[in-house]
Amino acid sequence: RPGLTPAPVTLEENERAEEEDAAAIDGIQNLWAQTAEVMEDAEGSAGEYRRLATHLFMAFGDTTYLEGDPVTPEELRPVPPSGGQKRLWDMLHAALLSRLEEIAPGVIGDDEHRLSSLREQYFKLHKSSAATQRSYRTKIDRMTAFMGDLTLQQITPDRLRLYRDYLMDEGLKPDSVAQYFAPISAIMRWAISEELVPDFDTLPTAKVKMPRAGTHIEDSRWQRFDDKEIKKVWTITQKTWGPKSRYDPDRQEAFKWAFRVALYTAARPVEIFRMKPENVTPDSIYITETKTGISRTLPLSKHIAGFYEFMQAGGWKLGKTKPESIAGTMSDSFTKAIRKAGFKNDRHVLYSTKDTLVDRLQRAGHSDDVIRGITGHVSGQGQLRNYKTRLNDTPEGLAMLRKALDAIEYW
């Protein structure tokens, strides 16, 4: 009130206020870690788009889906974490962008500034051959399938680095990764020289370091869980996806079954969630939608015999959720849970289930043919691939695969 002199702030009050401010800032800087929960909670709701767009800005500082250009104090701007947590940050950021593009296609950017549209203009101007057009389309379509068909302004170095890491994780050699980036750089460089896209005058691919040809796959692949670790991981998943978790009963069962199936098939999470009831019989699993496009039949191991009943009773119950989306949610949930439990190696992820299975098969002395039959890999066979019958394709071969899988016990 007028005439009153404010009481001086004591040192204790000042320190308490600074502590409260620091705690608030720390909370904002860690919002990104809640992305999987926010996406899961908002899925299908009337306000999903607005909530996810706001979270994208608050957690990642990404204004892609916001109107205008909000001003944020420097201390409140999200700062990407360092070390192994940066990979998780990138994965969650990409998953959030992918979901927003899925539920609100075409909301952002002009179509003429999208990479796919500029690609067609590039072909006409340069009179590109049919072979060049086919090569460019294949490579660019792979990137847009990963991050969405964005405008050039939205294709940032961070998103490109995440795409580079994805290609390496998919098994592409360093030279091949560079080849996938070549058409992207070519079209961007042309767009800059022609001044086709407003506010796009710097080549983002120039800020993305390509992998060196001398990098060994053993140095970059996911890492197995050893015998003690897989037991601990199983306990963690039972709690993370258990009755007291934030997931509904259907989602709990789906995640737990997908985890067990991965350990006895080496299938990717998205391949598992693409399975339909007709893909599973009392004796076999038919994995048909794979990364390589090569389907395979596997025996239904005795350790996951209940998977048949689960699938016949309705299976995944995804509703309108895409397999890619649910696989991403499961992967994020898994990674966050094991990191919290003390697994700090950033090469320990959900897909480490495959390396864990391969490790068990190798230690048991099984041949490469058995391991390839289970994992679905065809590399390393040379010309023999044209003459050998896969173990998956004969009763005798399937019996060998069943014996190998049934002998594996994780817990």
Side-chain angles (χ1 to χ4, degrees):
R1 287 175 294 179
L4 290 181
T5 303
V9 178
T10 66
L11 178 60
E12 181 180 349
E13 289 173 329
N14 184 59
E15 290 177 345
R16 184 164 59 248
E18 289 180 349
E19 289 175 358
E20 291 173 352
D21 289 344
I25 292 172
D26 186 59
I28 291 173
Q29 292 297 341
N30 286 293
L31 276 177
W32 67 270
Q34 301 174 25
T35 300
E37 287 81 356
V38 170
M39 291 177 67
E40 181 77 14
D41 188 56
E43 186 175 333
S45 67
E48 180 179 8
Y49 171 74
R50 183 176 296 278
R51 184 175 178 188
L52 295 189
T54 301
H55 185 76
L56 181 69
F57 169 63
M58 294 295 292
F60 298 96
D62 190 332
T63 60
T64 299
Y65 283 85
L66 286 187
E67 295 182 5
D69 190 14
V71 178
T72 307
E74 184 68 31
E75 65 272 14
L76 297 182
R77 293 175 187 172
V79 178
S82 58
Q85 290 292 302
K86 179 59 167 61
R87 189 184 191 91
L88 183 56
W89 158 289
D90 289 336
M91 290 173 60
L92 292 171
H93 189 189
L96 187 54
L97 286 167
S98 178
R99 178 57 180 165
L100 280 163
E101 176 69 15
E102 180 182 328
I103 63 178
V107 166
I108 54 173
D110 297 326
D111 285 344
E112 63 181 9
H113 296 156
R114 294 180 186 273
L115 185 60
S116 60
S117 298
L118 290 165
R119 174 185 63 190
E120 302 308 313
Q121 296 179 46
Y122 179 91
F123 291 158
K124 291 179 182 179
L125 181 66
H126 292 81
K127 297 180 180 180
S128 303
S129 67
T132 297
Q133 291 187 36
R134 187 165 53 250
S135 175
Y136 272 42
R137 285 196 178 97
T138 297
K139 291 177 172 64
I140 290 173
D141 285 349
R142 185 162 188 175
M143 189 185 82
T144 56
F146 176 77
M147 69 171 67
D149 191 10
L150 305 177
T151 64
L152 294 199
Q153 304 102 313
Q154 296 158 359
I155 302 176
T156 63
D158 280 343
R159 290 176 184 172
L160 288 169
R161 292 184 192 104
L162 184 60
Y163 178 58
R164 173 202 62 195
D165 295 344
Y166 158 77
L167 292 175
M168 293 184 67
D169 294 340
E170 288 291 287
L172 269 68
K173 295 180 179 179
D175 288 345
S176 297
V177 173
Q179 289 171 15
Y180 267 82
F181 270 74
I184 301 168
S185 295
I187 293 173
M188 286 181 168
R189 193 176 293 110
W190 163 72
I192 292 173
S193 68
E194 296 285 331
E195 299 182 339
L196 297 176
V197 182
D199 301 319
F200 184 77
D201 53 12
T202 303
L203 195 65
T205 51
K207 299 181 180 180
V208 181
K209 186 177 180 180
M210 290 293 103
R212 290 178 292 130
T215 302
H216 296 290
I217 190 169
E218 287 80 5
D219 296 331
S220 60
R221 72 181 185 188
W222 305 127
Q223 188 167 309
R224 62 148 193 168
F225 294 112
D226 64 29
D227 293 350
K228 291 183 178 179
E229 289 171 338
I230 193 61
K231 288 182 173 69
K232 184 177 180 180
V233 167
W234 174 248
T235 301
I236 294 168
T237 61
Q238 298 312 291
K239 181 179 180 180
T240 303
W241 303 324
K244 295 183 179 180
S245 71
R246 61 181 305 275
Y247 300 105
D248 62 47
D250 288 338
R251 195 55 55 87
Q252 293 170 22
E253 286 302 299
F255 285 173
K256 286 189 284 189
W257 268 117
F259 181 68
R260 292 175 64 186
V261 170
L263 282 168
Y264 284 97
T265 63
R268 297 169 178 79
V270 69
E271 294 172 351
I272 295 172
F273 285 117
R274 286 172 180 160
M275 291 183 190
K276 301 174 178 64
E278 55 266 30
N279 290 108
V280 186
T281 73
D283 297 314
S284 305
I285 295 179
Y286 301 94
I287 305 175
T288 55
E289 299 184 55
T290 67
K291 181 190 79 170
T292 62
I294 301 175
S295 61
R296 68 185 186 276
T297 301
L298 287 176
L300 184 65
S301 170
K302 66 180 184 180
H303 300 294
I304 53 172
F307 186 50
Y308 170 72
E309 287 78 10
F310 169 77
M311 290 299 288
Q312 303 313 305
W316 308 121
K317 300 179 182 177
L318 299 184
K320 295 182 179 180
T321 305
K322 292 184 178 181
E324 293 80 3
S325 179
I326 191 65
T329 299
M330 178 183 176
S331 179
D332 295 340
S333 171
F334 179 86
T335 303
K336 183 177 180 180
I338 65 171
R339 294 289 181 271
K340 185 177 180 181
F343 286 81
K344 302 304 182 183
N345 184 346
D346 61 7
R347 290 194 288 167
H348 275 148
V349 294
L350 181 57
Y351 200 38
S352 292
T353 49
K354 176 183 177 180
D355 296 89
T356 303
L357 172 57
V358 170
D359 173 66
R360 288 298 190 94
L361 293 169
Q362 290 175 328
R363 286 159 53 191
H366 291 292
S367 68
D368 287 348
D369 285 337
V370 168
I371 296 174
R372 290 193 188 102
I374 291 172
T375 62
H377 283 186
V378 295
S379 60
Q381 301 184 76
Q383 291 298 318
L384 287 177
R385 180 183 172 188
N386 298 319
Y387 304 99
K388 294 173 70 175
T389 300
R390 297 186 309 171
L391 295 179
N392 313 71
D393 299 331
T394 67
E396 296 82 5
L398 285 171
M400 292 173 63
L401 301 185
R402 182 182 299 279
K403 183 177 180 180
L405 290 171
D406 284 351
I408 296 175
E409 294 186 4
Y410 293 108
W411 44 78

